Amino acid sequence: MISEQKNVYNFSSGPSMLPPPVLERARAELTSLNGSGVSVMEMSHRSDTFVEILRKAGDGIREALSIPEHYQVLFLQGGATLQFSMVPMNFLSRDRVADYIVTGAWGKKAVSDAALFGNVREIYSTEASGFRSVPEQGAVRIGDDSAYIHYTSNETIDGVEFKYDLDGGRVRVVCDMSSNILSKPIDIEKYALIYAGAQKNIGPSGVTVVIVRNDMIDRLPEGLPGLLSYRELAKNDSMVNTPNTWGIYLIGLVCDWLREQGGVSKLEVRNREKAAILYNAIDSSDGYYVGHAEAPARSLMNVTFRLSSVELENKFCAEAAAEGFVSLKGHRSVGGIRASIYNAFPVAGVKALVEFMTEFSRRNG
Ligand code: PMP
């Protein structure tokens, strides 16, 4: 949308489009931040200016999700993928077991990394039925002996999403929220730890946001390198080493934008509207487009669907791209079409895609 060369609607699943006003502001401040004569990428991460930027980004996330004082907000590196092993490294010992709910490709990866560090129980998996659904609240039996329960609130590849905050009872809940964080209000107190790669709703890639309850980090094992220990990272305000200063700066700008939009509850209304337009088009296509997820689990962020053949899907993507609808191809592991419509994606873009879909099905019926 921002491009000077070409106006496109960018459906990329991540890194995905950022709000155009955020990019404009970053461009305006790129070579000289606040008249300092240097860019944010060229100043010390220990400088007062950057420490203020870090505080602003942390406060922005805190405000957006109403995060209470007894949680820390950290900005880490290594992507959400490093959290797959950092979580068990910090919270799972050889004599304990952790429970995992697997509703898609990312949850499956989290299980295999965690199994390197302790006993992992896959207590619920929808793999056999093709990752099309999520369990209802209360349907999963979590072991009382579990060190934590892990789930993925939105499976980016498969397009299935939990519509509630999982209740872990006495067991600590850890959640990979990479692809739906900030898309709606959540009940933070239900979670012991949340992590999310920034590159969908938070900012650019290269930063992972971790929200962790204080009591989780009070009693961590000794012997972890500082960069892999939540306690050390929290104690050092995410700066055990040089953080991704540019990424954290952009997160602060995205938080400003979120506030201007009226916060996550307003964004949820818009996200629901966008998803409904697209799912309605799929449902009213007489089977020309077939949605992947079962209706109650349909993701508001990643709308996944198929056409009758791979050839037709390729034609769909090619013609869509020629008309400015880019990055609609499904993940290489599953194929099909995926329209990712995160916070920054405009309603107008969804309406325009639906017009294209109607026209495409008419021409290729
Ligand atoms: N979890 C989910 C739900 C994701 O969508 C992704 C990547 N898109 C990851 C984990 C891995 O994230 P990263 O590339 O930041 O390691």
Side-chain angles (χ1 to χ4, degrees), residues 13-15 78-84 106-107 109 152-157 176-180 195-200 205-208 302 338 342:
S13 61
T81 302
L82 185 59
Q83 298 305 305
F84 295 165
W106 292 110
K109 282 192 200 292
T152 313
S153 55
N154 183 68
E155 282 286 355
T156 323
I157 292 175
D176 175 358
M177 245 179 233
S178 294
S179 49
N180 69 348
Y195 62 88
Q199 62 270 23
K200 290 105 165 58
S205 63
V207 189
T208 315
N302 312 99
R338 171 174 52 172
Y342 300 111

Side-chain angles (χ1 to χ4, degrees), residues 99 121 123 141-147 171:
D99 286 340
R121 245 180 344 218
I123 54 171
R141 286 186 61 83
I142 306 163
D144 276 345
D145 55 340
S146 181
V171 176

Side-chain angles (χ1 to χ4, degrees), residues 96-141:
R96 296 291 306 274
V97 59
D99 286 340
Y100 278 69
I101 297 175
V102 178
T103 52
W106 292 110
K108 210 176 151 186
K109 282 192 200 292
V111 166
S112 51
D113 278 359
L116 300 169
F117 297 92
N119 300 309
V120 174
R121 245 180 344 218
E122 214 176 291
I123 54 171
Y124 191 98
S125 171
T126 55
E127 185 169 15
S129 50
F131 293 139
R132 292 169 200 275
S133 60
V134 298
E136 281 174 25
Q137 180 79 286
V140 179
R141 286 186 61 83

Side-chain angles (χ1 to χ4, degrees), residues 262-275:
V264 293
S265 46
K266 284 277 158 44
L267 280 161
E268 180 184 19
V269 174
R270 197 152 79 201
N271 288 331
R272 283 186 186 283
E273 184 194 349
K274 288 185 296 187

